[in-house]
């Protein structure tokens, strides 16, 4: 699958753009995505400073070298990445060569000699596309740190390279006056390029909002910011979700502790609380990981949305974690032994171990609660935490099993556990039979549900794939374009009946009536169809994965 290029842009400097990008890159890598961070803020570079303590070696080249190599006649993309040693795969392309923590003495001169307009006249755009193709083949996400303002460099980062934009701004008029206009300028610049890419999807991120002291003023500015950036949500936010609610989710607070130096709080705050900065950064990273989709789930349940992004590519080395009170130590040991003999990889989670709750990822795919009389408080905390992480579609195959000692009243269990299937056993005997039952439940292939929504999605997918490469006259494409937009709107609103109707309309409009030479599908329409197909496929996979 081809990776996604996302540019982080800000109209003014000092808004926390590089900070946000660096921390989100670390989060995405930790969650199992392959990430490349590119420092294209050539006049004020600094992305390497965030990663400096974790680099395997200082960068020996960077973005400036890509341009200089082309000027010297090199036409084959070179390797400028350096590995960042964090959990997962994260590479950096710095602005240029770094020596002793600073860009080398020749950097400024080499950067200032580059005439980007002249480079493009010489064919640099096609060369850059080759780099882009290599990056998107190798990485799931390419995050570009763009320079501020309006310039040739910023246009490269906002028009040619990205699939999506993240616009970082602070609560003042200097930022708000131009944040929406920049997105429109990027779309106009993209229209002049010979590449088939749809209109930008733009995520606004309100940064450095301090609501700890002047709470009322912060709330007023947050509302004002939401009114201004509402147009940026139009082509990706689910219609039932209000822009002001979404912007609250996309607000990174000001925390004075993290305002000094170039720091990565996500490396320290592994399981953040809502008042910590990493909590907000996780939310922004989740929207990126979910391809700006399923925002209705984010509005309903932020923890489930983040869990879906975090676990989408998580590989579990262990199938089952057994949580038992200390009074059941011997019984749980025997249960784990029997399960391992059956081939089910199993680990113990002794209730009361705080290390379990601090882990960013779950150690096992499923959870088994051994309950003797009543559920302990610690087991309840474990179960609630586990359930929050499996509420999303991606967690559908993860399960909680309740193993009750004979005589335990299942009616005393919390509501979210009471309706689960319970297994009863006698703790005085070796738990052979109950281990067999657990093994069968874990290894059984779940029945595939046929859901009305899934059927509507598949019809829409089929209709979009039936769109021919040519039609008899150009006017037909106007109707098809309106129908495709109607499909997207129905998907946003969750209106499956309308989705079916628009799918039927599209099939009818796509029928060929050839009596001569056809007119090819416009590049913009083709790109919009591809983007919509990708969204529908993700929804279908949510049912079937």
């Amino acid at each position: 699958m081809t990776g996604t290029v996302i540019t982080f842009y800000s109209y003014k400097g000092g808004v926390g753009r590089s900070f946000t990008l660096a921390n989100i890159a670390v989060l995405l890598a930790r969650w199992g995505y392959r990430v490349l961070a590119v420092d294209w803020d050539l006049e004020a570079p600094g992305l390497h400073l965030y990663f400096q303590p974790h680099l395997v070696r200082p960068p020996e080249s960077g973005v400036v070298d890509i341009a200089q190599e082309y000027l010297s006649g090199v036409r084959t993309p070179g390797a400028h990445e350096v590995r960042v040693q964090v959990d997962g795969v994260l590479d950096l392309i710095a602005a240029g060569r770094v020596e002793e923590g600073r860009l080398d003495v020749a950097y400024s001169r080499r950067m200032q000699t580059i005439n980007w307009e002249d480079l493009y006249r010489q064919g640099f755009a096609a060369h850059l596309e080759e780099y882009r193709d290599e990056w998107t083949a190798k990485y799931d996400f390419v995050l570009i740190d763009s320079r501020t303002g309006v310039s040739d460099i910023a246009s490269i980062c906002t028009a040619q390279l990205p699939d999506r934009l993240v616009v970082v701004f602070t609560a003042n008029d200097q930022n708000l006056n131009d944040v929406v206009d920049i997105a429109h300028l990027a779309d106009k610049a993209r229209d002049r390029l010979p590449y088939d890419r749809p209109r930008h999807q733009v995520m606004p991120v309100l940064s450095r909002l301090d609501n700890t002291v002047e709470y009322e003023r912060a709330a007023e500015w947050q509302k004002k910011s939401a009114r201004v950036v509402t147009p940026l949500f139009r082509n990706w936010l689910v219609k039932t979700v209000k822009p002001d609610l979404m912007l609250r989710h996309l607000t990174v607070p000001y925390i004075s502790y993290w305002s000094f130096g170039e720091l990565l709080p996500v490396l320290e705050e592994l399981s953040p609380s809502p008042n910590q900065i990493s909590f907000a950064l996780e939310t922004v990273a989740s929207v990126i990981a979910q391809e700006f989709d399923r925002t209705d789930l984010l509005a309903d349940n932020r923890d489930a949305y983040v869990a879906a992004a975090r676990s989408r590519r998580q590989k579990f080395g262990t199938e089952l974690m057994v949580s038992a009170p200390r009074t059941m130590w011997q019984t749980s040991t025997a249960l784990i032994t029997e399960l391992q003999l059956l081939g089910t990889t199993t680990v113990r989670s002794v209730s009361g171990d705080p290390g379990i709750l601090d882990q960013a990822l779950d150690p096992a795919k499923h959870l088994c609660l051994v309950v003797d009389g009543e559920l302990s408080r610690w087991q309840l905390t474990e179960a609630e935490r586990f359930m929050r992480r499996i509420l999303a579609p991606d967690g559908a195959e993860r399960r909680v099993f309740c193993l009750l000692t004979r005589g335990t009243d299942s009616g005393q269990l919390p509501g979210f556990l009471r309706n689960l299937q319970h297994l009863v056993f006698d703790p005085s005997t070796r738990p052979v039979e109950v281990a067999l039952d657990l093994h069968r439940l874990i290894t059984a292939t779940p029945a595939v549900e046929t859901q009305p929504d899934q059927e509507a999605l598949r019809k829409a997918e089929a209709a979009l794939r039936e769109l021919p490469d040519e039609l008899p006259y150009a006017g037909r494409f106007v109707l098809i374009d309106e129908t495709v937009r109607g499909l997207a709107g129905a998907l946003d609103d969750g209106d499956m009946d309308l989705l079916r109707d628009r799918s039927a309309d599209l099939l009818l409009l796509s029928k060929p009536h050839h009596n001569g030479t056809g007119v090819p599908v416009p590049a913009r329409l083709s790109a919009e169809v591809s983007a919509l197909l990708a969204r529908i496929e993700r929804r279908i996979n949510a049912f079937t994965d």
Side-chain angles (χ1 to χ4, degrees), residues 363-380:
K365 184 174 183 179
H366 307 294
L367 174 65
C368 174
L369 298 168
V370 179
V371 184
D372 183 25
E374 63 179 4
L375 195 72
S376 71
R377 288 185 180 180
W378 199 267
Q379 285 181 297
L380 176 60

Side-chain angles (χ1 to χ4, degrees), residues 116-157:
W116 294 97
E117 186 176 350
D118 186 54
L119 260 180
Y120 265 68
R121 280 198 295 266
Q122 295 181 42
F124 183 68
H127 185 61
L128 206 53
E129 283 296 300
E130 293 181 19
Y131 268 102
R132 188 186 190 280
D133 290 343
E134 286 200 1
W135 295 340
T136 54
K138 187 177 179 181
Y139 301 96
D140 299 305
F141 291 102
V142 179
L143 309 182
I144 297 175
D145 196 16
S146 171
R147 68 153 292 175
T148 59
V150 180
S151 67
D152 293 336
I153 298 174
S155 294
I156 294 171
C157 298

Side-chain angles (χ1 to χ4, degrees), residues 240-290:
T240 56
V241 180
K242 295 182 178 179
D244 60 336
L245 172 61
M246 183 54 53
L247 189 63
R248 287 200 294 273
H249 281 298
L250 300 177
T251 296
V252 178
Y254 173 79
I255 307 293
S256 60
Y257 180 83
W258 300 113
S259 65
F260 302 97
E262 291 77 19
L263 301 174
L264 297 171
V266 296
L267 290 179
E268 298 184 33
E269 300 172 347
L270 297 181
S271 188
S273 58
N275 63 340
Q276 291 181 304
I277 196 167
S278 296
F279 188 87
L281 291 166
E282 279 190 347
T283 308
V284 176
S286 298
V287 178
I288 290 173
Q290 302 268 33

Side-chain angles (χ1 to χ4, degrees), residues 66-82:
I66 293 174
Q68 292 288 356
E69 286 172 357
Y70 188 81
L71 287 170
S72 64
V74 175
R75 294 296 181 266
T76 303
H80 302 281
E81 302 92 340
V82 59

Side-chain angles (χ1 to χ4, degrees), residues 473-491:
Y473 56 91
R476 181 79 67 87
F477 288 120
V478 176
L479 297 173
I480 289 178
D481 185 60
E482 289 178 358
T483 306
V484 169
R485 292 178 186 275
L487 278 168
L491 189 65

Side-chain angles (χ1 to χ4, degrees), residues 9-11 149-150 155 158 165 167 169 173-190 199-200 202 204 228-232:
Y9 174 85
S10 61
Y11 183 71
V150 180
S155 294
T158 57
L165 295 177
V167 178
F169 66 100
D173 288 324
Q174 293 180 69
N175 278 273
L176 282 176
N177 287 343
D178 295 285
V179 67
V180 175
D181 290 341
I182 286 299
H184 295 324
L185 288 173
D187 277 329
K188 289 180 180 178
R190 171 171 282 189
R199 189 167 294 276
H200 286 98
V202 185
V228 172
V229 302
T230 289
L232 301 181

